[in-house]
Amino acid sequence: MTTGTTATDLTGRMLIAGTPVFGDGEQIRAIDPATGAELEPAYGHGGDAEVARACAAADEAFETYRATTFEQRAVFLETIADNIEAIGETLSARAHAESGLPLARTTGERGRTTGQLRLFAQVVREGSFTGARIDPAQPDRSPAPRADIRQRKIPLGPVAVFGASNFPLAFSVAGGDTASALAAGCPVVVKAHDAHPGTSELVARAISDAVASCGLPAGTFSLLFGSGRNLGISLVTDPRIQAVGFTGSRGAGLALTAAAQRRPQPIPVYAEMSSINPVFLLPGALAARAAELGGEFVGSLTMGSGQFCTNPGLVIAVDGPELTTFLDSAAEAVGAATPTPMLTPGIARAYESGVQALADQGGVTVLARGRESDAPHSCRAALLATDAESFLAGDGLDDEVFGSSSLVIRCRDAAQVREVAAGLEGQLTATVHATAADAAEAGALLPTLERTAGRILFNGWPTGVEVGHAMVHGGPFPSTSDSRTTSVGTLAIDRFLRPVAYQDLPAELLPSVLADGNPEGIWRRVDGELGKH
Amino acid sequence: MTTGTTATDLTGRMLIAGTPVFGDGEQIRAIDPATGAELEPAYGHGGDAEVARACAAADEAFETYRATTFEQRAVFLETIADNIEAIGETLSARAHAESGLPLARTTGERGRTTGQLRLFAQVVREGSFTGARIDPAQPDRSPAPRADIRQRKIPLGPVAVFGASNFPLAFSVAGGDTASALAAGCPVVVKAHDAHPGTSELVARAISDAVASCGLPAGTFSLLFGSGRNLGISLVTDPRIQAVGFTGSRGAGLALTAAAQRRPQPIPVYAEMSSINPVFLLPGALAARAAELGGEFVGSLTMGSGQFCTNPGLVIAVDGPELTTFLDSAAEAVGAATPTPMLTPGIARAYESGVQALADQGGVTVLARGRESDAPHSCRAALLATDAESFLAGDGLDDEVFGSSSLVIRCRDAAQVREVAAGLEGQLTATVHATAADAAEAGALLPTLERTAGRILFNGWPTGVEVGHAMVHGGPFPSTSDSRTTSVGTLAIDRFLRPVAYQDLPAELLPSVLADGNPEGIWRRVDGELGKH
């Protein structure tokens, strides 16, 4: 089934278990940040009643949905991807209008979104996510016989997903959290981000159509509109919700986490919150190509108006002429950078006040700003610098400024570079630029970076997160609320699973992944030995 | 190295990074619950200074300890096991004296403890716990090349372990939490349980001797004595501690969890707290062997004075003549049950008041009590019954009573059995007794039990938790604070690991588990395909 939806079809309605519902709360419209114009139609916020309705439907759908075969679930994910593609240009155009992100980017992001869904379909078919383990009975064991014990992972239950502002497709309604939760066997209730309601509605219909055409219970998916503080908290505290996926600000992530912990039954919250993604420029790399690094750095810094979780917000290097060359090159590139719209008026305001707050700190100088623009909500890139003493003594110099702002820390020597590294909060990424001449120093830094970040890059830039099997998009607090997981890549499915052991279960009741003879043909650990047995 | 320690060697000292330290806080002595006699020597409680010292040493040891090879770490775990065995009968005798548990039980528990350590040595050597994944570079990919991305799991950092009262060996100083944390590569700081300080000291010396003889940093292990409310909270909130393993009461577990969440950097707490382990007797099973089931049930209920996390505290069945037969048989067995000492005077008092609180609830009748005893701190088994309406309406009828107490719920019909099942809190186990005649009913119950419990047993009894690869000793809240894990079995190692991705890391800096050519010979996922490649 394809939707053939066009933008003029937009209704402003939530989609609760397949039923369109116009919320009777506050009405909001998307704003095109490039022009400041409001976009039709109006979207009505829902409230507690809609949360309860969506969660009840998700809970009711859970048993049926989690009992789907690998093939059924994989086809469902692929059908969602097909349906999203079938919307056609309408979708990337609407995402472009609602986000101010270039059309090429929203088109690319659509491909990332459908690719992610299809990758999780592969993960489901492969079956290892079930973590099947079998310890066969040993009836003759002495002093006591051993029972037959088998283990698999089952889905947690209905999952609440919060759409992220900065990825209106790939980390929103059918984004990574939704794809991994559905792959795990969990129904999903999405709270749309108010910045891109039209994009959300289009994608929600693509999912809902897939639910229907795959013959799944309608409650497998719902889309809600509402404020984070009201509907969002109501969603997280609904007793039927069993886990939460969130990407956004530290304040909002901590509020959701606290709400989840206050529940009579606390639940896991996977909040991806804030990161300034330190970049270490080691002396050999600076000696080899300081000016080039400056240009590449600003390319990463200004891409998408710097609105990436992995934007390089901190640069750390030993002071000296090579660093000056880097800074001159970077300052020139920042000064020449074309101002580009930010996602929302609020984000643009927060960006400017964040840059100002950094600049006002003792010991901080502004090295360069991007050009002024007459367009509203534009991001003027900002390059600032300070010395390590000020950074180590400072308060707030490591706060994330969401946008194209970066702070360079001049260090006295390699020991001070390591001291700054050791004092950093948890990060999504840490990047090292090094040559063979830097091997000793890079090796000395590595253990610290492993303790600090979820992903460590050499001689690259942190923006651009590959969706694959080995990716980790996560990291120690406060970059995320739970460092044991990732929100990008196939390992993300683990977030929504828990192990269950079955002792002496009659054969006819055993789930197929644990049945004798391995009918699903998956990898299983039998008495600790991995094999397709 | 062997310790050759005898009970007379006990010093009353903590062991902080290999150094004996007598705490200057409150002095406590173990009590033999079978006689009420105090046991020498006195143990001095430590405080904040000792916590800081142990945690600083653990943090300092971390980088060296986590860099050990699989073989080094496995040999260390095996050396601990050897050293524990080398203590000889002294250890099981002291554990018997301090816990009131039969000598045969503490001897068996010693075997379980060393077996656990050796099993984790196998897990370390096998290497899959590192979760190695490699997505090779695709330099020619269009539109953008793919970087080389590799993933492994690394240890979280120093772990705090709280000794449990009810397993003075297998879930105490060198118990499951310690074994799995050390296997993961985390230094461990143990807070000993005040009920068995001598056992704790003996085992701590066995570990410390292994640390020394294996050439590991002294801070790899420390043992502290102190109160949970003071030293325990201080330990959990020390910024160097990165995870917590705990087995004990719901109140204490929730207090530790709350303290960990209030930290500037919240950390995971794996608290195994309370469970009443429902047992469902289906009609076919009752028709086949009601009287036998009654006897077996009381065997499970009274073993170890009922002081197991998986003690069957709730029995659910449709009322009728077969259930009456079961109850008559069980009541007779309870009445004949020999009173056995409980672990501590406090536990014995809490047990009696817990039974009384249950008996005082509306609709509850006491069917049988065990014999009175002149011995102090004895457990008189208790069998109580109520009807489903009272249970569903009641408040506190599902509270755990730690000890040999169980409540039988008489249901009107199968639908009411399912209603009771659906309303239960999270449990470690759920047990079903069924015959082929019960297949439909058992199948209908199973999905509910999967959502409720971490382990589901058929035609057995929940006490006795096999240590293997497929075991899950965990479950939804409040049975544990984190249902995504287990505290028994090899999967427990996952609790102390987090994934890190390496992008374009120079070959000489890659950890060996991710190096080209698979020098460790472990299972790795390359482009999503599992193999020894």
Side-chain angles (χ1 to χ4, degrees), chain A residues 65-322:
Chain A
Y65 182 59
R66 79 177 175 107
T68 50
T69 63
F70 290 165
E71 185 59 25
Q72 288 169 328
R73 214 183 287 169
V75 167
F76 171 50
L77 294 168
E78 288 163 346
T79 305
I80 297 172
D82 294 345
N83 288 354
I84 288 172
E85 280 165 358
I87 304 173
E89 296 311 310
T90 301
L91 181 61
S92 26
R94 179 77 191 192
H96 161 63
E98 290 185 329
S99 69
L101 296 168
L103 191 58
R105 150 74 192 270
T106 57
T107 305
E109 198 182 314
R110 188 185 58 188
R112 182 189 179 89
T113 307
T114 55
Q116 221 161 221
L117 288 158
R118 292 186 175 115
L119 182 62
F120 276 107
Q122 284 176 33
V123 168
V124 170
R125 283 199 182 91
E126 199 265 351
S128 290
F129 74 99
T130 56
R133 294 172 169 223
I134 300 178
D135 292 342
Q138 294 176 349
D140 301 327
R141 189 181 64 173
S142 162
R146 185 172 84 172
D148 176 287
I149 302 176
R150 306 182 187 217
Q151 179 187 123
R152 67 160 174 170
K153 291 186 174 173
I154 67 168
L156 289 176
V159 170
V161 170
F162 287 73
S165 64
N166 61 339
F167 279 90
L169 292 165
F171 256 78
S172 188
V173 178
D177 288 336
T178 298
S180 51
L182 289 177
C186 299
V188 169
V189 180
V190 173
K191 187 195 99 56
H193 199 286
D194 270 358
H196 52 266
T199 307
S200 299
E201 186 188 347
L202 290 170
V203 174
R205 281 196 248 159
I207 302 176
S208 244
D209 286 353
V211 167
S213 70
C214 292
L216 298 171
T220 302
F221 173 79
S222 289
L223 175 74
L224 301 173
F225 293 104
S227 82
R229 208 165 300 174
N230 299 317
L231 183 135
I233 296 292
S234 174
L235 181 57
V236 167
T237 53
D238 187 284
R240 289 157 293 208
I241 293 296
Q242 293 300 303
V244 178
F246 168 87
T247 300
S249 72
R250 187 158 165 178
L254 293 179
L256 293 181
T257 306
Q261 288 167 349
R262 278 194 309 268
R263 292 167 48 122
Q265 176 224 5
I267 56 172
V269 174
Y270 302 104
E272 198 258 75
M273 298 186 289
S274 70
S275 182
I276 52 174
N277 305 295
V279 176
F280 296 85
L281 306 175
L282 299 194
L286 280 176
R289 50 190 215 98
E292 269 175 278
L293 285 172
E296 289 174 10
F297 160 63
V298 176
S300 174
L301 179 67
T302 56
M303 193 195 306
S305 301
Q307 299 165 126
F308 289 106
C309 317
T310 57
N311 195 58
L314 201 65
V315 177
I316 301 146
V318 175
D319 206 2
E322 287 88 359

Side-chain angles (χ1 to χ4, degrees), chain A residues 314-318 323 385-388 391 407-411 420:
Chain A
L314 201 65
V315 177
I316 301 146
V318 175
L323 182 59
T386 191
D387 55 276
F391 182 78
L407 177 67
V408 179
I409 305 178
R410 302 179 209 258
C411 297
V420 169

